[in-house]
Amino acid sequence: MGASEIRELLKVIEAPGVISFAGGIPDPALFPQAAVAEAYRHVLTATGPAALQYSVSDGDPELKSWVVRHMARLGVPCEPENILITSGSQQGLEFLGRLLISPGDAALVAAPTYLGALQAFSAYEPRYDALPTAETNRTATSYGERAPAFAYVVPEFANPSGETMDAAQRRDLLALARDLGTLVIEDSPYAELRFEGEAPPALLATDIAETGHIDRSRVAYCGSFSKIFTPGLRVGWICARADLIERLVLVKQASDLNAPRINQLVILRLAETLYAEQVAKARATYRVKRDAMLAALAAHMPAGARWTRPEGGMFIWLEVDGDFDAKAMLPDAVEAGVAYVPGSAFHHDGAGRNAMRLSYSLPDPATIETGVKRLAALISENIGGGRVRA
Amino acid sequence: MGASEIRELLKVIEAPGVISFAGGIPDPALFPQAAVAEAYRHVLTATGPAALQYSVSDGDPELKSWVVRHMARLGVPCEPENILITSGSQQGLEFLGRLLISPGDAALVAAPTYLGALQAFSAYEPRYDALPTAETNRTATSYGERAPAFAYVVPEFANPSGETMDAAQRRDLLALARDLGTLVIEDSPYAELRFEGEAPPALLATDIAETGHIDRSRVAYCGSFSKIFTPGLRVGWICARADLIERLVLVKQASDLNAPRINQLVILRLAETLYAEQVAKARATYRVKRDAMLAALAAHMPAGARWTRPEGGMFIWLEVDGDFDAKAMLPDAVEAGVAYVPGSAFHHDGAGRNAMRLSYSLPDPATIETGVKRLAALISENIGGGRVRA
């Protein structure tokens, strides 16, 4: 399923009357609109024309300092030279792909994994390999002579599975990266959206604890303000060893010179004044929606349907036993007034035919209940066998 | 001269007391700061949370419509599907490099040419060739079997030379592109900053007149709002055949999803209300500065120094006869309180040793006079032979 196919799909999904679990984007009701307006006014007054000029490629120094303090709270001691401000964390993924992948290199990804990461990496022609799991029991020797370019994971409330890597999985991944001599890309846009349970330490934090210093770490952490404040300003960051950041700064300079400074300064002001408050608000909002979706799934889904129970984030992954084809069912679903993204979109090899990603981030709880009811009815029919398409 | 070398250089150049002709960035006194503040306020009120949400990768539809009308004024009839909004025109160059260059492909560039373009293209490992000139008399057959990836030009008030391609040069370039079966990248951020003389038609306009339709054209036009309003919002565009734009939209999606929508809407509001006024203001400001620099050069430069006389834009290219090394002289120049960018930075092959780029965009006329005097004195000494460094 290519990018353009997904885009066509999303157009259909936006049809009126369709309850969409497809989006996977933040609830705009959470955007701190008044604070954003105040921040633009403030920045233009306080910083003046310099807020509107070209600026340094590595990012605004004050915003970088805020990110350094934020990473310290996550157990990652680092310095400004370990930070690059990116135009959203998507840009971080694309830059790492560009810098690290030579055509034919292995890129290790989870199955399923974030579609946007596959899009960012694929331009550089990697060969995708599934990350080893306890089941596959693969080891370093399976990867041949040339080390993979990297292993890519969304360790917390993954897009699309909603799952969180446990301590053993994290330990195994870091050990594998060391054995292979490869990098781990830790894509962590959702980590703050934890509703319950204890947050495991970031992979980067664990690796620094083991190696003694970020400049010896094998983990590049991609962070984002998109899920806390707004994705519309396109501000994220990479935190990694200084020698890698130095090369990424040159990539940034060649790519678009710098992220808009005014947007960086607005995000800084929001971060300094509103961070904890916004995190609390987002957690409360998404938690209610997750609870609504889990309750509706339990109430309405037929036997043969299984789903994840995320401790945070925006996504639930639903699988249906037997000869079920989520992509083939989508037109009927849209007809019935509910939409999702078929699971195959999140696999590099077209697997995931029997799965779908459900996002609860946009609709309100009552609408979630209605949408899940519609979806459950349709899945029941399809399990019945009558309307499964090839 | 690598990117990092330039960055180190620019740090030195920003030392206090140094008159810098190095910058090449817009005069911040021209930024419409109050209008920008008003536009952010307006957009957040009128568009609401949608201004802060993820948005379409090809760019805001209304801004694209404005660009379509703008291109029509430049003699380029086109449709929204011929436009991609980019994060500054630098991103347009990088995308075109990524899409079009396979390692070892020829990329035809002027000598000297824009440093940022070389940085954008070099990641994709082209082999640079100088664009044929009347002197070199090269033809299509010189380029062997594989067509070059593209020919790249800044046809108006080029960075760094300040020169404008005349009608014959444009005709020859388009004929060469047809013969070679290659694309022309028309990088045109300065075209509106014309102080005098008549604007030649855009290469894209000429090519459409010849081929009958933009979708048969061999020219990709990169435009920018950076030199009219502000570079700090990072908004530019590519205008080209629809099949190329379609592929570039996927590149944009994979790279950073979309340019910040709020910034696009702010630029749209400025474009709708202030475009002509800002263009007039910028022309008047830079014209006075150019005149000041030309007058100072004529008054103070020794025999053996030659320079271009730009009809617009921000740059003058100065060459010195004989065994002169602009890069070697730079530390002495900074010591004497004046700075420039050595000509070798703008050549893919390290040529341009005896040249420098002088930008008059930032200092006021009196400061320009003082700076040129300092520079002329130093060049006179160096022509004298005593202090030329290896």
Side-chain angles (χ1 to χ4, degrees):
Chain A
M1 177 167 274
S4 50
E5 205 180 344
I6 292 280
R7 295 195 316 147
E8 287 311 305
L9 194 75
L10 291 176
K11 274 183 206 161
V12 176
I13 286 169
E14 283 161 13
V18 175
I19 295 173
S20 179
F21 300 140
I25 58 179
D27 184 347
L30 285 167
F31 298 161
Q33 200 183 325
V36 170
E38 189 282 330
Y40 274 110
R41 195 197 53 70
H42 170 83
V43 164
L44 280 164
T45 308
T47 309
L52 299 173
Q53 188 56 285
Y54 289 109
S55 63
V56 287
S57 298
D58 54 332
D60 179 78
E62 283 188 73
L63 180 59
K64 286 178 61 178
S65 292
W66 188 93
V67 172
V68 164
R69 293 194 300 277
H70 176 74
M71 294 306 300
R73 285 192 294 272
L74 302 183
V76 174
C78 64
E79 302 292 331
E81 64 259 32
N82 299 113
I83 308 293
L84 167 69
I85 303 296
T86 56
S87 296
S89 66
Q90 179 73 24
Q91 188 174 59
L93 302 181
E94 202 276 326
F95 284 0
L96 287 163
R98 196 188 309 172
L99 201 58
L100 299 172
I101 300 170
S102 296
D105 278 358
L108 310 185
V109 297
T113 193
Y114 170 51
L115 169 64
L118 297 178
Q119 289 173 353
F121 303 151
S122 290
Y124 306 105
E125 301 173 27
R127 172 174 59 79
Y128 290 110
D129 261 349
L131 269 172
T133 62
E135 291 84 53
T136 62
N137 198 24
R138 274 194 299 175
T139 59
T141 52
S142 322
Y143 295 100
E145 293 212 348
R146 191 165 159 81
F150 51 73
Y152 167 77
V153 289
V154 187
E156 242 103 24
F157 324 128
N159 180 355
S161 76
E163 291 179 324
T164 296
M165 291 175 75
D166 64 25
Q169 288 170 318
R170 288 165 192 249
R171 219 171 26 238
D172 290 352
L173 176 61
L174 290 173
L176 179 74
R178 267 194 305 276
D179 287 354
L180 289 171
T182 194
L183 204 82
V184 173
I185 300 178
E186 178 174 27
D187 185 12
S188 204
Y190 311 106
E192 295 281 24
L193 305 178
R194 174 171 283 281
F195 315 141
E196 64 214 10
E198 199 167 333
L203 286 161
L204 179 53
T206 304
D207 200 48
I208 291 174
E210 277 172 29
T211 60
H213 198 281
I214 188 170
D215 290 343
R216 286 191 289 277
S217 171
R218 294 200 167 281
V219 180
Y221 179 103
C222 295
S224 175
F225 294 100
S226 293
K227 276 67 182 184
I228 305 302
F229 294 122
T230 146
L233 273 57
R234 312 300 306 117
V235 183
W237 71 90
I238 306 176
C239 177
R241 50 195 304 158
D243 58 351
L244 182 61
I245 293 293
E246 202 179 337
R247 294 165 68 201
L248 289 165
V249 172
L250 296 179
V251 172
K252 179 71 181 165
Q253 187 179 30
S255 296
D256 57 11
L257 304 178
N258 56 267
R261 185 164 182 225
I262 187 168
N263 293 11
Q264 294 182 61
L265 293 173
V266 165
I267 287 288
L268 172 64
R269 186 156 173 89
L270 297 174
E272 280 173 341
T273 54
L274 269 188
Y275 195 83
E277 187 183 321
Q278 272 290 125
V279 166
K281 215 184 273 185
R283 280 181 184 169
T285 299
Y286 294 129
R287 178 185 191 136
V288 169
K289 295 180 178 209
R290 183 219 43 186
D291 289 348
M293 186 171 272
L294 286 177
L297 289 167
H300 304 296
M301 278 292 155
R306 291 167 285 118
W307 55 92
T308 56
R309 284 164 185 75
E311 293 187 326
M314 304 180 167
F315 304 108
I316 287 174
W317 184 251
L318 182 136
E319 290 175 290
V320 180
D321 291 339
D323 185 28
F324 176 81
D325 186 333
K327 195 174 155 190
M329 194 183 79
L330 187 58
D332 288 347
V334 171
E335 185 86 8
V338 64
Y340 52 83
V341 181
S344 53
F346 304 98
H347 288 77
H348 63 88
D349 57 1
R353 194 169 166 272
N354 70 323
M356 61 181 69
R357 187 190 74 178
L358 302 177
S359 170
Y360 46 79
S361 60
L362 284 177
D364 60 56
T367 309
I368 288 172
E369 157 84 13
T370 308
V372 169
K373 233 191 242 176
R374 292 178 186 169
L375 186 62
L378 200 60
I379 289 176
S380 298
E381 277 183 49
N382 276 269
I383 288 181
R387 294 172 63 201
V388 176
R389 296 178 181 192
Chain B
M1 179 169 274
S4 51
E5 205 180 344
I6 292 279
R7 294 195 316 150
E8 288 310 307
L9 195 73
L10 291 176
K11 274 185 206 159
V12 174
I13 285 168
E14 283 162 12
V18 175
I19 296 172
S20 178
F21 300 139
I25 58 178
D27 183 348
L30 286 167
F31 297 161
Q33 199 184 327
V36 170
E38 190 281 330
Y40 273 109
R41 194 197 53 72
H42 171 82
V43 165
L44 281 164
T45 308
T47 310
L52 298 173
Q53 187 57 284
Y54 288 110
S55 63
V56 286
S57 298
D58 54 332
D60 179 79
E62 284 191 73
L63 180 59
K64 286 178 63 178
S65 293
W66 188 92
V67 172
V68 164
R69 295 194 299 277
H70 176 74
M71 293 306 299
R73 285 192 294 273
L74 301 182
V76 174
C78 63
E79 302 292 330
E81 64 257 33
N82 298 113
I83 309 293
L84 168 69
I85 303 297
T86 55
S87 295
S89 66
Q90 179 74 23
Q91 188 175 58
L93 302 181
E94 202 275 326
F95 284 1
L96 287 163
R98 197 189 311 173
L99 201 58
L100 299 172
I101 300 170
S102 295
D105 278 357
L108 310 186
V109 297
T113 194
Y114 170 50
L115 170 64
L118 296 178
Q119 289 173 353
F121 303 151
S122 290
Y124 306 104
E125 301 174 26
R127 168 175 61 78
Y128 290 110
D129 260 351
L131 268 171
T133 62
E135 291 85 52
T136 62
N137 199 22
R138 274 195 298 178
T139 59
T141 53
S142 323
Y143 294 101
E145 293 209 350
R146 189 164 161 82
F150 51 73
Y152 167 78
V153 289
V154 187
E156 243 104 21
F157 325 129
N159 180 354
S161 76
E163 291 179 321
T164 296
M165 291 175 78
D166 63 26
Q169 288 171 320
R170 287 166 192 249
R171 221 169 29 238
D172 290 353
L173 177 61
L174 290 174
L176 179 74
R178 271 193 304 277
D179 287 354
L180 289 171
T182 193
L183 204 82
V184 173
I185 300 178
E186 178 174 28
D187 184 12
S188 204
Y190 310 107
E192 295 281 24
L193 305 178
R194 174 172 283 281
F195 314 142
E196 64 215 7
E198 201 169 330
L203 286 160
L204 179 53
T206 304
D207 200 47
I208 292 174
E210 277 172 27
T211 59
H213 198 282
I214 188 170
D215 290 343
R216 287 191 290 278
S217 171
R218 293 199 166 281
V219 180
Y221 180 102
C222 294
S224 174
F225 293 99
S226 294
K227 274 68 181 185
I228 305 301
F229 294 124
T230 145
L233 273 58
R234 313 298 305 120
V235 183
W237 71 89
I238 305 177
C239 177
R241 50 194 305 157
D243 58 352
L244 182 60
I245 293 293
E246 203 180 335
R247 294 165 68 201
L248 289 165
V249 171
L250 296 179
V251 173
K252 177 72 181 165
Q253 188 180 29
S255 297
D256 57 11
L257 304 178
N258 57 264
R261 184 164 183 225
I262 187 169
N263 293 10
Q264 295 183 60
L265 293 173
V266 165
I267 287 287
L268 172 64
R269 185 155 172 90
L270 297 175
E272 280 174 340
T273 54
L274 269 189
Y275 195 83
E277 186 183 321
Q278 273 289 124
V279 166
K281 215 184 275 187
R283 282 181 183 168
T285 299
Y286 293 128
R287 177 185 190 137
V288 168
K289 294 182 179 206
R290 181 215 48 182
D291 289 348
M293 187 171 272
L294 286 177
L297 289 167
H300 304 296
M301 278 292 157
R306 289 167 288 119
W307 54 92
T308 56
R309 283 164 186 77
E311 293 187 324
M314 303 179 167
F315 304 108
I316 289 174
W317 184 251
L318 183 138
E319 291 175 290
V320 179
D321 291 337
D323 184 29
F324 177 81
D325 186 334
K327 192 173 156 195
M329 195 183 78
L330 187 57
D332 288 347
V334 172
E335 184 86 6
V338 63
Y340 52 83
V341 181
S344 52
F346 304 98
H347 288 78
H348 62 89
D349 56 1
R353 194 171 165 270
N354 69 322
M356 61 181 69
R357 185 190 77 177
L358 302 177
S359 169
Y360 45 81
S361 62
L362 284 177
D364 62 55
T367 309
I368 289 172
E369 156 84 14
T370 308
V372 169
K373 233 192 241 177
R374 290 177 187 169
L375 186 62
L378 201 61
I379 289 176
S380 299
E381 275 182 53
N382 276 269
I383 288 182
R387 294 173 62 197
V388 178
R389 296 183 180 189

